[in-house]
């Protein structure tokens, strides 16, 4: 018996610790609630009703609330949270009642002068939560404006009707749609409304076949700007209405005809060319950033989306290369042409920057493999590069660094012959320009370039790694920080070439001894 009492005591103690029951040694203050029924005044022509909304206002002082919270259990705290949520829901419902009541109070069918007589149809709209709104409206208005009501009310002329619409998503929107049916100028009535509300009115108008309301809502949506966060909602709801002919004017804002879509690549070509040839450098940088971001966003969407073609991008690459060669040729004989060196330096940097931008797009779209081979084959450009002072040409070497970073990250997959050809052609130039790149180009990340070089070198066969890294070793000792530091690649090559090779030889020797000593 004692053991059973001890077990119960431990269970009770555990429940106290977990907060499900209160400690009997602490004071307990029961929660108090007050229930009020919200019942606005009503007239014979309009009635609102709903289940009584409970709410629990607190009148205790801060000190009292503190003492009570100290003695609350987890269950009581959860109950209070539910009570707060219930109060928030009640406030929301109360505001809805106020809005609907104001709507009915100003409605044309509430005016005795309207239509010359009182309503002969009692129209009741019931929400899913039980909220009901009743309106005394006119059969002549409903039947003339709505094909749905015309069909339902065409029998028994002169007889009063009672119509109830149940399970409405939004009672307020239904009431507003009925009010619209009495309006002489729907365009003026809708002016200034939020897009979300007009979408609701359109949905109800379509459901009751209120053609004038449908046309007015669509005209509004076609003319008014859409907030960014509601555009998808507009497109989705218009697509669900299954009124292709009616919504086509509105949808022209977000979709184009097939004939226009077919020329999308020409549009992209024009945009890219415009950026490459822009005269204002600040505007050119801004548009480059914008177009790059849009292309990246497009890449995350469906593969069926329109996109700039590979042919267009490589056509622009060849144009940039031709311009770059021309600028370097002029720079080699600058004294003969008497052109300003500063202007030439700016033109070379601009063309190199243009080419970097196109290569970025190619890498992003996984189309850069051919460019690696194209860049590796630029023997003439490398020769011109070597004849031009470093201060003019260092931007060109950023393209080589850019490709090595992409290869090192696995974003470009090319054969080992192409990788070795790339480094054979451009690595010396990159070494020569690295000091200027590091100091003059704020956007160049030294560590990122070095990491890309290390990884690219280590993808090559060991003899090629050795040739490149031994050459780097001598250059680094003479140039220091003006040469990229790829000692991580040097360490990996060393272990691969010597330590692992020694371990392999020892393993083979041991294997041979074991085989020779194995007894027959």
């Amino acid at each position: 018996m004692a053991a059973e009492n001890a077990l119960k005591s431990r269970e009770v103690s555990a429940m106290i610790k977990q907060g499900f029951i209160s400690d009997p040694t602490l004071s307990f203050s029961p929660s108090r609630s007050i229930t009020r029924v919200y019942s606005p005044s009503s007239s014979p022509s309009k009635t609102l009703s709903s289940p009584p909304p409970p709410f629990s206002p607190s009148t205790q002082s801060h000190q009292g609330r503190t003492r009570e919270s100290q003695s609350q259990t987890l269950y009581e705290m959860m109950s209070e949270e539910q009570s707060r949520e219930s109060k928030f829901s009640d406030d929301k419902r109360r505001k809805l009642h106020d809005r609907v009541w104001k709507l009915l109070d100003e409605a044309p069918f509430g005016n005795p002068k309207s239509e010359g007589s009182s309503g002969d149809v009692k129209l009741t709209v019931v929400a899913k939560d039980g909220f009901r709104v009743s309106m005394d409206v006119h059969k002549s208005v409903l039947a003339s404006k709505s094909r749905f009501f015309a069909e339902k009310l065409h029998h028994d002329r002169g007889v009063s009707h009672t119509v109830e619409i149940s399970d409405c998503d939004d009672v307020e929107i239904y009431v507003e749609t009925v009010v619209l049916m009495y309006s002489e100028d729907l365009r003026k009535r809708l002016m200034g409304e939020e897009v979300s509300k007009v979408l609701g009115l359109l949905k109800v108008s379509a459901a009751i076949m209120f053609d004038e309301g449908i046309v007015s809502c669509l005209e509004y949506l076609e003319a008014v700007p859409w907030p960014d966060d509601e555009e998808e909602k507009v497109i989705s709801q218009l697509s669900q209405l299954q009124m292709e002919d009616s919504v086509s004017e509105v949808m022209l804002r977000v979709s184009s005809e097939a004939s226009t879509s077919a020329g999308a690549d020409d549009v992209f070509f024009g945009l890219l060319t415009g950026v490459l040839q822009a005269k204002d450098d600040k505007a050119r940088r801004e548009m480059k950033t914008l177009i790059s971001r849009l292309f990246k966003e497009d890449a995350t969407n469906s593969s069926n989306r329109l996109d700039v073609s590979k042919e267009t991008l490589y056509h622009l690459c060849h144009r940039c290369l031709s311009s770059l060669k021309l600028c370097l040729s002029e720079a080699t004989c600058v004294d003969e042409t008497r052109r300003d060196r500063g202007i030439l330096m700016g033109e070379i940097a601009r063309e190199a920057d243009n080419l970097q931008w196109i290569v970025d797009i190619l890498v992003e779209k996984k189309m850069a493999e051919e460019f690696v081979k194209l860049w590796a084959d630029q023997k003439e450009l490398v020769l011109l590069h070597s004849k031009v002072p470093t201060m003019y040409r260092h931007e060109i070497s950023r393209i080589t660094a850019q490709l090595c970073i992409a290869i090192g990250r696995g974003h470009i997959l090319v054969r080992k012959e192409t990788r070795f050809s790339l480094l054979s052609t451009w690595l010396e130039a990159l070494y020569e320009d690295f000091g200027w790149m590091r100091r003059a180009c704020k956007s160049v990340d030294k560590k990122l370039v070095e990491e890309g070089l290390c990884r690219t070198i280590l993808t090559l066969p060991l003899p090629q790694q050795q040739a490149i890294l031994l050459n780097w070793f001598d250059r680094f000792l003479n140039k220091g920080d003006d040469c990229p530091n790829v000692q991580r690649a040097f360490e990996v090559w060393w272990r691969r070439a010597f330590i692992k090779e020694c371990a392999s030889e020892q393993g083979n020797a041991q294997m041979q001894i074991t085989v020779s000593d194995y007894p027959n």
Side-chain angles (χ1 to χ4, degrees), residues 273-299:
T273 303
V275 172
L276 298 178
Q277 297 176 349
K279 295 181 179 179
D280 187 280
D281 284 338
K282 182 175 180 294
R284 184 172 67 95
R285 288 192 298 271
E286 289 181 4
M287 289 302 100
K288 279 172 56 181
T289 303
L290 173 63
I291 292 177
S292 295
R293 177 167 54 81
L294 293 174
F295 276 141
K296 287 178 182 178
E297 289 177 3
D298 187 70

Side-chain angles (χ1 to χ4, degrees), residues 119-189:
D120 50 5
V121 176
K122 184 176 183 180
L123 177 61
T124 302
V125 183
V126 185
K128 292 179 179 179
D129 63 356
F131 177 40
R132 303 170 65 89
V133 178
S134 294
M135 302 167 277
D136 289 337
V137 292
H138 302 85
K139 177 181 176 181
S140 57
V141 174
L142 297 183
S144 64
K145 295 297 180 72
S146 163
R147 286 181 284 129
F148 169 80
F149 285 115
E151 181 181 345
K152 300 297 180 184
L153 303 175
H154 77 283
H155 299 297
D156 303 326
R157 293 187 177 180
V159 177
S160 296
H161 292 268
T162 298
V163 179
E164 182 173 299
I165 302 175
S166 304
D167 294 332
C168 295
D169 294 329
D170 192 332
V171 168
E172 183 181 2
I173 291 295
Y174 271 85
V175 174
E176 286 212 47
T177 306
V178 175
V179 173
L180 274 182
M181 297 170 75
Y182 281 81
S183 301
E184 295 181 0
D185 190 345
L186 272 68
R187 181 192 293 267
K188 186 176 180 180
R189 175 87 188 186

Side-chain angles (χ1 to χ4, degrees), residues 19-141:
F20 283 99
I21 62 174
S22 60
D23 190 334
T25 62
L26 301 177
S27 61
F28 173 74
S29 177
S31 59
R32 291 176 289 179
S33 62
I34 302 174
T35 302
R36 294 180 180 176
V37 177
Y38 176 75
S39 177
S41 58
S42 60
S43 69
S45 63
K46 36 210 174 212
T47 305
L48 282 76
S49 65
S50 68
F55 64 96
S56 305
S58 175
T59 58
Q60 294 178 325
S61 67
H62 175 72
Q63 184 178 2
R65 286 197 303 270
T66 303
R67 286 197 300 269
E68 183 176 350
S69 64
Q70 292 174 348
S71 64
Q72 283 180 327
T73 66
L74 178 61
Y75 176 78
E76 290 166 345
M77 286 189 286
M78 291 169 64
S79 298
E80 283 197 0
E81 180 66 24
Q82 291 176 349
S83 177
R84 282 194 294 271
E85 291 177 358
S86 176
K87 182 178 180 182
F88 175 77
S89 177
D90 295 336
D91 290 342
K92 189 176 179 182
R93 181 182 296 178
R94 193 174 295 111
K95 290 177 182 178
L96 171 62
H97 290 194
D98 291 342
R99 290 197 305 271
V100 173
W101 179 252
K102 182 179 180 182
L103 241 151
L104 291 173
D105 194 44
E106 299 173 353
F109 46 78
N111 186 346
K113 296 181 181 180
S114 65
E115 297 298 319
S117 61
S118 60
D120 50 5
V121 176
K122 184 176 183 180
L123 177 61
T124 302
V125 183
V126 185
K128 292 179 179 179
D129 63 356
F131 177 40
R132 303 170 65 89
V133 178
S134 294
M135 302 167 277
D136 289 337
V137 292
H138 302 85
K139 177 181 176 181
S140 57
V141 174

